[in-house]
Amino acid sequence: QRCQKLLVEFSDRSRVAKQNIFNLEFNDRDFDLTLCFRLLHHFEDRTTQVQLVRELCRVTDRYVMISYFSTYSVTALRRRLRKFFRNKPVKQNPTPLNELVRMFTDQGFVLKKKIKRSGFVHSLQLAVFERIQTS
């Protein structure tokens, strides 16, 4: 509700919808750009991550901007050590960029840009993927 009120202030064309991220009720290529921020890392298994990427790509015509957690950050290392020594579950699962690229490549997208942030210092990373345009 709060989000909807804020959007009304900026544009009368905006809408908010609560949906299943793995089965969105939008048409293929409905959006020029889709932003997926701070979600991918909540899914531990790659199969679920692939399903997420597939659905984001389905509804996106041009660009997908997605955040992911670096596997090489100090925070990721600390979380792996806690899991190993204390058996504490990891809530924020890192995804190697090369695996993310593979997931998007399989959907016809290429890595357009990786937003530069130190992967060692910053866990949260951002990448932009662009649909390969076919004639």
Side-chain angles (χ1 to χ4, degrees):
Q1 292 170 338
R2 177 161 166 67
C3 183
Q4 186 64 49
K5 286 179 185 178
L6 289 171
L7 287 173
V8 168
E9 290 180 32
F10 296 103
S11 171
D12 58 349
R13 300 178 332 158
S14 302
R15 61 185 167 145
V16 176
K18 182 178 177 181
Q19 297 186 22
N20 179 341
I21 192 68
F22 301 105
N23 189 21
L24 295 169
E25 297 174 12
F26 299 111
N27 294 324
D28 294 355
R29 297 183 171 200
D30 250 0
F31 302 98
D32 292 329
L33 172 110
T34 304
L35 171 64
C36 181
F37 194 71
R38 296 189 65 92
L39 180 62
L40 180 70
H41 65 269
H42 288 287
F43 304 111
E44 182 177 8
D45 65 288
R46 291 291 181 254
T47 302
T48 305
Q49 290 180 350
V50 167
Q51 290 172 338
L52 171 67
V53 167
R54 184 181 303 126
E55 189 63 2
L56 291 173
C57 292
R58 183 188 68 78
V59 301
T60 306
D61 187 47
R62 187 92 189 256
Y63 299 104
V64 175
M65 183 180 288
I66 190 166
S67 67
Y68 64 99
F69 274 27
S70 169
T71 54
Y72 304 110
S73 71
V74 172
T75 305
L77 176 60
R78 195 173 66 233
R79 287 183 182 129
R80 285 194 301 271
L81 290 172
R82 272 195 311 230
K83 182 176 182 174
F84 182 77
F85 288 112
R86 295 186 195 163
N87 202 23
K88 186 173 182 176
V90 175
K91 295 179 184 175
Q92 294 150 332
N93 303 286
T95 304
L97 180 59
N98 64 341
E99 287 189 32
L100 192 60
V101 167
R102 192 173 318 121
M103 290 180 218
F104 275 92
T105 300
D106 290 348
Q107 301 306 313
F109 282 72
V110 295
L111 179 63
K112 179 75 174 174
K113 183 173 185 167
K114 179 188 176 300
I115 308 303
K116 292 188 182 234
R117 298 181 81 199
S118 168
F120 182 71
V121 176
H122 302 284
S123 290
L124 189 67
Q125 301 293 309
L126 206 57
V128 179
F129 291 87
E130 181 177 24
R131 182 180 293 279
I132 299 168
Q133 299 299 323
T134 57
S135 45

